[in-house]
Amino acid sequence: MQALGIDVLFKGTNLFRLLQGLWVSIEISLISVVISIVLGLIVGILMTIDRPFLRIILKIYLEVVRIMPQMVLLFIVYFGTTRVFGWDLSAEFSAIFVFSFWGTAEMGDLVRGAIKTIPKIQFESSLALGFNTVQTFVVIIIPQTIRRLIPLAINLITRMIKTTSLVMMIGNVEVLKVAQQIIEANRNTSPNAAFGVFAFVFFLYFIICWPISRLSIYLEKRWA
């Protein structure tokens, strides 16, 4: 175990610190996913509205999110806005803002696609029954859209959890940052600590993300 650097995990509170760091990653991802789902539903519905100017604005937003790496967005929000506007933003708030900004665009596009798969006759039938546009979406369209989105939203959670590893670049003490600190602190006594610590971090990500991924696949097959 010493040759692989695994012994470092059992020194002091290293194991507990890694689990605390993992919780920070999960907390950021879950908050971001909840915000992304709520705002994504709104953005996705707006994407289906036949308003050219609105669709152009949302298209630009979606393309910016797709092209811009999340790390660059983190740097802009955490370092850039602090200097330009003098804001005192915490690393955790910056991460939640960036991941929600990214996740809302992703979820909005998924909502748009889900709404497009709903047969047009359902819209026409609801209007024939006397429902207005808002009632049609609230009573008929959104419930069906949510059912189609649940597997995809669950998959987004795993992507969020994995992407939170980027927040170590702005000083947020999540699981990878803690791992780096442990390795640096034991560099002389355990030169192979990097292997054991990062292997354990891989295991933590696996036991969190794999069941979520399997649940997503199961729901996709069940509700296909």
Side-chain angles (χ1 to χ4, degrees), residues 53-197:
F53 179 74
L54 179 62
R55 294 177 72 174
I56 289 172
I57 295 298
L58 294 175
K59 183 69 174 178
I60 292 173
Y61 165 46
L62 182 60
E63 290 302 319
V64 167
V65 171
R66 283 176 172 173
I67 294 171
M68 185 77 71
Q70 283 81 29
M71 187 180 294
V72 175
L73 288 173
L74 278 172
F75 286 169
I76 291 174
V77 172
Y78 185 68
F79 296 114
T81 59
T82 301
R83 289 183 175 274
V84 174
F85 301 107
W87 295 340
D88 184 19
L89 301 178
S90 67
E92 186 169 352
F93 176 84
S94 299
I96 292 173
F97 177 84
V98 168
F99 293 140
S100 299
F101 182 79
W102 160 58
T104 297
E106 294 277 355
M107 184 58 63
D109 196 38
L110 294 175
V111 171
R112 179 197 59 79
I115 292 176
K116 290 294 184 181
T117 64
I118 297 175
K120 189 176 180 180
I121 192 173
Q122 297 200 28
F123 290 87
E124 297 171 348
S125 299
S126 65
L127 295 176
L129 290 171
F131 289 177
N132 58 35
T133 303
V134 174
Q135 291 173 328
T136 299
F137 271 96
V138 172
V139 178
I140 298 174
I141 305 304
I142 291 181
Q144 294 184 65
T145 301
I146 290 176
R147 176 166 178 164
R148 288 169 165 82
L149 282 175
I150 286 178
L152 301 174
I154 292 174
N155 187 48
L156 182 62
I157 294 175
T158 62
R159 294 170 61 193
M160 284 281 188
I161 293 173
K162 292 182 289 185
T163 309
T164 53
S165 60
L166 296 177
V167 301
M168 68 172 291
M169 303 301 295
I170 60 174
N172 198 308
V173 186
E174 45 75 62
V175 63
L176 276 183
K177 187 68 175 180
V178 174
Q180 188 180 46
Q181 292 173 349
I182 293 173
I183 293 167
E184 290 294 327
N186 293 273
R187 177 182 296 176
N188 296 328
T189 57
S190 299
N192 296 328
F195 179 86
V197 173

